[in-house]
Amino acid sequence: METIEHKSDPIIQLDELRRSFVVRAKAGRIRRDKRVVHAVDGITASINAGEACGYIGANGAGKSTTIKMLTGILVPSSGRVRTCGFDPVPQRRTLACEIGVVFGQRSQLWWDLPLGESFTILAAVHRISAEAAKPRIDELIDGLELSGFLNTPVRQLSLGERMRGEVAAALVHRPRLLILDEPTIGLDMISKERLRQFLIAERAERGTTLLLTTHDMSDIERLCERVLVVDHGRLAYDGTLDGLARRVAMQRVLIVDLAEPRSPIAVPSATNVGSELNGARQQFSFAPDETTAAKVLAEVTAVAEVRDLTLSEPAIEDIVRTLYHR
Ligand SMILES: Nc1ncnc2c1ncn2[C@@H]1O[C@H](COP(=O)(O)OP(=O)(O)OP(=O)(O)O)[C@@H](O)[C@H]1O
């Protein structure tokens, strides 16, 4: 397996980390069969301060279970985990001062209070004086463009607004490590991009370590230089995104809508993989390490008028499947 060399002390260290669950399934009218699910099945990895890592895998691969162990929510069945040098479960309170966590599906904001009040309460929870917290809160309001809805109760916010609020809430106490579980799930393109830009800037300015799980490959491309792929609780890959792309020969697809229907267009640097709407929409698959979307588009526009286009990312499920079959 490809691995990345580490020079300084890791901010996250996992050694043969395991967690299983006993699940009881109905097997007849009264009988219940016991089954053991190995959600995390021997993961060893270390992440250095300042790194930005994507933690990806199919549904049920073990991502959330790993994150719960990293943050002290769940006790490992065996193995060892250290987050910011702490044993997460017994040292959960100390660890909470060092990390920020954002769960896309869960909120840490006070639902009925105006968004801004959650930040003040969180600063107090972290024992930061109002005076010391103000410049940081202002910085987050500015960076995440929250000023327009600070006085709105959280329950009335749009998903995009709330997610930006969640990220600010996780960063009020200036954590060294920010863990994001599906931070862009359900967001539109503009909200996703805003959030990504903020995270890039936060990391550049403060050296915050990022660990994120996502089903969106664009999050990884924009934010992470390193990817860990988990499959059935085991690490299937640990290395760069480029390395992963080479391993699974990740193809991208350019979908173009033409001004007029026409027969399938052949271009030199991509393969025409589909035609719909009588040829008014055509799809071109290409290898990103051999050519670019711009070049493919130029080749198409040389022979037909293009009205609209979309660039589709490879699905994470497909990447994992390809890795697994190898
Ligand atoms: N509390 C639990 N009790 C029983 N089984 C569990 C529990 N938590 C997780 N599992 C099982 O462990 C496996 C890994 O789940 P986990 O939530 O870690 O996956 P995931 O990679 O985060 O998936 P997703 O992308 O769908 O969120 C799954 O088979 C899941 O059903």
Side-chain angles (χ1 to χ4, degrees):
M1 180 166 38
E2 273 181 60
T3 48
I4 285 179
E5 293 276 318
H6 300 289
K7 292 181 190 79
S8 57
D9 272 351
I11 199 161
I12 293 174
Q13 178 76 54
L14 313 177
D15 294 308
E16 282 297 311
L17 188 66
R18 288 192 163 77
R19 171 70 206 212
S20 10
F21 297 102
V22 177
V23 284
R24 286 182 172 78
K26 212 172 169 183
R29 280 181 55 204
I30 301 168
R31 232 182 74 218
R32 294 271 188 283
D33 272 353
K34 270 210 268 180
R35 192 167 62 88
V36 179
V37 177
H38 300 286
V40 171
D41 197 14
I43 291 187
T44 299
S46 79
I47 295 173
N48 269 1
E51 279 197 281
C53 296
Y55 191 45
I56 65 173
N59 289 121
K63 304 178 294 290
S64 300
T65 306
T66 313
I67 285 183
K68 286 177 188 164
M69 289 192 277
L70 280 175
T71 50
I73 296 172
L74 206 59
V75 184
S77 303
S78 68
R80 182 173 180 269
V81 52
R82 285 287 176 277
T83 309
C84 301
F86 299 111
D87 189 349
V89 174
Q91 297 179 292
R92 199 171 153 188
R93 292 178 83 120
T94 326
L95 180 61
C97 302
E98 305 280 335
I99 63 170
V101 189
V102 176
F103 286 105
Q105 314 272 38
R106 243 178 298 148
S107 181
Q108 59 173 322
L109 302 167
W110 280 263
W111 218 235
D112 293 316
L113 295 181
L115 177 66
E117 283 189 33
S118 284
F119 304 149
T120 332
I121 297 173
L122 283 164
V125 167
H126 286 290
R127 299 178 195 280
I128 307 169
S129 71
E131 213 177 26
K134 190 172 183 311
R136 176 60 170 163
I137 294 176
D138 287 348
E139 194 177 273
L140 292 166
I141 291 171
D142 201 34
L144 285 155
E145 299 171 57
L146 307 175
S147 57
F149 43 86
L150 277 180
N151 296 321
T152 309
V154 171
R155 71 184 135 72
Q156 287 176 17
L157 298 179
S158 74
L159 181 62
E161 291 165 347
R162 184 172 70 73
M163 278 314 296
R164 273 142 60 202
E166 299 284 355
V167 173
L171 290 172
V172 165
H173 59 297
R174 299 185 169 90
R176 297 164 59 202
L177 168 66
L178 180 64
I179 299 176
L180 306 127
D181 194 359
E182 295 281 357
T184 60
I185 197 163
L187 300 189
D188 61 43
M189 284 309 292
I190 296 170
S191 306
K192 279 185 186 184
E193 199 43 40
R194 259 192 201 156
L195 194 53
R196 289 173 190 149
Q197 275 171 10
F198 169 80
L199 292 171
I200 291 167
E202 165 74 12
R203 184 176 167 226
E205 282 161 28
R206 302 197 58 253
T208 313
T209 312
L210 299 182
L211 176 68
L212 77 140
T213 76
T214 181
H215 279 95
D216 187 334
M217 265 327 258
S218 313
D219 285 342
I220 305 285
E221 277 190 338
R222 295 278 282 119
L223 297 170
C224 308
E225 67 253 340
R226 180 174 168 199
V227 199
L228 293 106
V229 181
V230 64
D231 185 42
H232 292 93
R234 294 186 185 173
L235 217 50
Y237 177 85
D238 178 359
T240 62
L241 181 60
D242 283 353
L244 179 63
R246 279 195 301 276
R247 268 258 206 126
V248 298
M250 235 157 40
Q251 295 275 316
R252 297 182 91 186
V253 176
L254 178 74
I255 304 162
V256 293
D257 283 343
L258 304 174
E260 285 173 2
R262 50 173 300 164
S263 56
I265 298 168
V267 292
S269 58
T271 312
N272 192 320
V273 288
S275 175
E276 293 167 51
L277 312 172
N278 288 327
R281 175 171 296 164
Q282 304 202 11
Q283 302 187 13
F284 301 87
S285 168
F286 63 94
D289 53 343
E290 286 167 15
T291 186
T292 61
K295 185 159 181 231
V296 177
L297 180 63
E299 289 170 359
V300 178
T301 46
V303 290
E305 188 186 336
V306 174
R307 283 252 169 92
D308 201 0
L309 59 97
T310 327
L311 196 55
S312 86
E313 298 291 339
I316 282 180
E317 276 71 10
D318 292 338
I319 295 172
V320 177
R321 206 174 304 124
T322 314
L323 263 179
Y324 189 66
H325 284 304
R326 286 173 170 220

